[in-house]
Amino acid sequence: MSFTISPASRLQVVQEYYFSTKLKQIAALKASGIPVLNLGIGSPDLAPSDVTIQALITSAQKKENHAYQGYQGIPALRKAFAQFYQKHYQVDLNPNSEILPLMGSKEGIMHIAMAYLEKGDITLIPNPGYPTYQAACALTGAEVQSYELSEANGWLPDLDALAKRDLSQVKIMWVNYPHMPTGAKANKAFFEKLRDFAVTHSILLVNDNPYSFILNEEPISMLSIPGMKEVALELNSLSKSHNMAGWRIGAVMGKQEFLAPILTFKSNMDSGMFLPLQEAATEALKADSAWFKQQNEIYAGRQKVVFQLMDLLNCSYDPKQSGMFVWAKIPHTYADGYELSDKILSENAVFITPGGIFGSQGNNYIRISLCAPISLFETAIKRIKTQSNGI
């Protein structure tokens, strides 16, 4: 005897993640014999450093390292994050109270939202922006409002325009610089203005900062701005910068008062991070500038070829954009990025991300990931050149 059971009504405010459904479609096409080239998802194809992998192996071979761990991460990992922030961002953090390691910064987005937001609150998210900001906040019952970013304004929020809104119920504003998906960067002058905006309107800022070492010569942490710790948290991750996406290691940084509610929620959600992962991450965080330079030389070579692909599609782009993607505006001959993406997939068996999945402000754009060897991009170019029907 069977019965039906209804899912929680909160799931009505979210949908299955776009890439989850798209990967199913791509898998089905491949199963039918169509060799689709996936240029969409930003999952690094490069490996972590050798010392990182060796640290994982060495630690995993110790039988005493397979037990439950604490919720705040081992002291060595927190110290490594603190040293990393001091060395690369010139930010002083107390490893005992201002750093909370996470199982990936995506987890942190949900933890922060659940720790601070509820029905009656308003949260501000960027448009375009990472879809998880909207999903995590909507699941809390809070009202999600977007603030528009535009190419004309360098993909930075217009804080003067925002200040004219009723912000009395706004509790959190999410920002993400270097920005995904556009690759735009923010400087200290902007962050200073943002700090003042948050102080004036009593808003907690959360900067999601996983891309600052990818094709970016001047990595910056929002916490380097004087007074920013009083109004902000920052998320960071080893997924992109250290090629450790599947390892799920990140952290949230900020003053203890802001971290305490997050820890309360987190401690009810997991049983601590696997110790060998923490010890390997500790080694990874010791990477020097030479490590990032080596990675960026590879990404720069790939970016150059992807620019050629974008030229072939008659798309326009900022050659100075950062991050592990290329963001480009589509020709006016297409209604939106979805139309161009679907055309390339059906006619050339190449998947390119439509910008609209990141919000309405991305409708006229597409995005290509740099997480593939140059040969893959060259193959995509050949396919589009030889199979094009008037692109």
Side-chain angles (χ1 to χ4, degrees):
M1 184 175 180
S2 62
F3 67 94
T4 59
I5 183 168
S6 301
S9 60
R10 70 176 66 91
L11 290 183
Q12 295 176 7
V13 302
V14 296
Q15 300 176 347
E16 184 177 1
Y17 193 44
Y18 173 83
F19 284 118
S20 175
T21 58
K22 205 65 184 180
L23 286 174
K24 294 176 187 175
Q25 180 185 357
I26 292 172
L29 289 172
K30 288 184 176 180
S32 68
I34 300 175
V36 177
L37 301 179
N38 186 351
L39 307 185
I41 299 178
S43 180
D45 61 316
L46 303 173
S49 66
D50 291 341
V51 293
T52 301
I53 296 172
Q54 187 56 54
L56 175 69
I57 295 171
T58 300
S59 183
Q61 289 174 332
K62 299 177 181 179
K63 63 179 182 179
E64 66 269 21
N65 286 359
H66 295 264
Y68 289 122
Q69 298 298 314
Y71 300 103
Q72 293 178 274
I74 60 174
L77 178 56
R78 285 184 272 116
K79 182 179 179 180
F81 268 114
Q83 292 174 335
F84 183 86
Y85 258 68
Q86 173 55 239
K87 178 178 181 179
H88 296 286
Y89 298 126
Q90 294 76 55
V91 173
D92 290 323
L93 293 169
N94 185 333
N96 297 319
S97 59
E98 295 183 324
I99 299 172
L100 179 61
L102 303 165
M103 295 179 187
S105 58
K106 186 175 182 179
E107 175 194 73
I109 295 169
M110 177 61 77
H111 288 357
I112 293 169
M114 293 298 289
Y116 282 103
L117 297 173
E118 59 191 346
K119 187 175 181 179
D121 294 329
I122 296 175
T123 183
L124 300 176
I125 65 168
N127 174 13
Y130 184 31
T132 296
Y133 305 143
Q134 190 279 335
C137 295
L139 286 169
T140 71
E143 179 183 344
V144 180
Q145 295 184 3
S146 65
Y147 59 90
E148 292 187 349
L149 307 178
S150 68
E151 186 172 357
N153 200 43
W155 301 107
L156 298 173
D158 185 339
L159 297 179
D160 295 330
L162 264 179
K164 296 177 181 178
R165 293 193 196 179
D166 179 4
L167 302 174
S168 59
Q169 298 302 116
V170 174
K171 191 177 264 187
I172 292 179
M173 179 178 178
W174 302 83
V175 293
N176 163 222
Y177 292 100
H179 186 249
M180 194 292 297
T182 71
K185 292 171 278 191
N187 58 27
K188 289 191 175 184
F190 167 76
F191 281 138
E192 288 170 355
K193 188 173 181 180
L194 184 63
R195 174 203 59 204
D196 296 343
F197 173 85
V199 170
T200 299
H201 299 285
S202 299
I203 296 173
L204 176 66
L205 300 172
V206 182
N207 185 41
D208 188 16
N209 188 22
Y211 295 100
S212 60
F213 289 90
I214 310 297
L215 295 178
N216 182 21
E217 295 181 357
E218 298 180 354
I220 182 173
S221 164
M222 191 165 72
L223 297 179
S224 66
I225 305 304
M228 189 64 88
K229 280 187 186 179
E230 298 306 311
V231 294
L233 291 167
E234 182 162 277
L235 290 162
N236 216 319
S237 169
L238 275 65
S239 294
K240 317 296 185 180
S241 57
H242 294 76
N243 303 326
M244 297 168 70
W247 297 52
R248 311 312 306 134
I249 299 168
V252 56
M253 274 64 65
K255 67 177 183 177
Q256 186 174 21
E257 175 187 340
F258 290 159
L259 294 184
I262 304 169
L263 177 59
T264 297
F265 183 82
K266 173 179 168 58
S267 66
N268 285 283
M269 294 300 297
D270 66 58
S271 297
M273 190 190 303
F274 187 40
L275 181 57
L277 287 175
Q278 295 191 67
E279 294 189 336
T282 299
E283 289 301 314
L285 285 164
K286 296 177 183 178
D288 57 19
S289 298
W291 158 260
F292 298 112
K293 181 179 179 181
Q294 180 184 43
Q295 305 305 301
N296 282 322
E297 287 174 352
I298 295 172
Y299 282 123
R302 295 174 176 184
Q303 186 187 61
K304 183 177 181 180
V305 180
V306 172
F307 284 162
Q308 294 173 17
L309 198 163
M310 290 298 193
D311 290 338
L312 181 62
L313 298 176
N314 296 317
C315 293
S316 59
Y317 51 84
D318 178 2
K320 296 181 180 180
Q321 60 187 276
S322 64
M324 54 175 49
F325 307 99
V326 170
W327 177 256
K329 192 169 187 177
I330 63 171
H332 69 275
T333 49
Y334 295 94
D336 52 35
Y338 290 101
E339 182 181 352
L340 177 55
S341 176
D342 289 343
K343 178 182 176 67
I344 298 300
L345 180 59
S346 63
E347 297 183 3
N348 310 109
V350 175
F351 172 62
I352 295 172
T353 304
I357 73 166
F358 304 106
S360 59
Q361 288 292 99
N363 280 341
N364 293 324
Y365 296 82
I366 56 173
R367 191 194 77 173
I368 292 178
S369 167
L370 298 178
C371 300
I374 287 177
S375 59
L376 194 71
F377 301 122
E378 292 176 336
T379 300
I381 289 173
K382 290 178 182 178
R383 284 190 188 182
I384 293 170
K385 280 184 175 179
T386 58
Q387 300 172 28
S388 173
N389 291 316
I391 292 175

